[in-house]
Amino acid sequence: MAYDKMIIAVDFDGTCVEHDYPYLGMDAEGAVDVLRELVAKGHRLILFTMRSGDKLEAAVKWFKERKVELWSINTNPEQREWTESVKVYAHYYIDDSAVGCPIKFIDGVPRPVVDWAKVRAIFQNDGVL
């Protein structure tokens, strides 16, 4: 089953980059490629992060520099049509703290990061990619 124009909320620290807050960590292996694939398929990405101010601006810049188009930041612009809830609506949430999100440990890095190879496999299995 293939899906058209899924909304995917993506965390930043520990997900797109390794944990190094308040700084930008190293790119999480495979993150940029999968995110670009999702956008190329017509899916919409929402940056869904606790970052704010100049730290949020740094994360947004990270996406721009890697040519990964964001649809929105910390909000789903369409959901105001049917709810006043502040919870961001998406079909998928990719977050290193989410139950069931595949993670991996990297030698020398104290906290795990999202395993993007497994995320890609999940999306392929679900017909998203």
Side-chain angles (χ1 to χ4, degrees), residues 46-103:
I46 298 173
L47 174 58
F48 193 43
T49 180
M50 292 289 296
R51 285 178 172 253
S52 63
D54 58 345
K55 291 166 187 58
L56 175 60
E57 289 177 29
V60 171
K61 183 179 177 185
W62 182 93
F63 282 88
K64 286 180 183 176
E65 288 175 346
R66 284 150 185 82
K67 297 179 177 32
V68 176
E69 182 181 347
L70 292 173
W71 181 56
S72 188
I73 300 165
N74 287 331
T75 186
N76 177 327
E78 293 179 345
Q79 78 184 49
R80 289 288 172 229
E81 297 171 13
W82 50 273
T83 184
E84 293 298 317
S85 175
V86 296
K87 180 180 177 182
V88 171
Y89 170 77
H91 299 104
Y92 285 93
Y93 299 83
I94 306 172
D95 189 324
D96 62 304
S97 295
V99 173
C101 186
I103 58 171

Side-chain angles (χ1 to χ4, degrees), residues 103-122:
I103 58 171
K104 66 181 178 180
F105 290 86
I106 302 169
D107 289 339
V109 178
R111 293 180 63 187
V113 65
V114 168
D115 186 332
W116 284 92
K118 290 183 179 175
V119 168
R120 175 184 278 124
I122 290 168

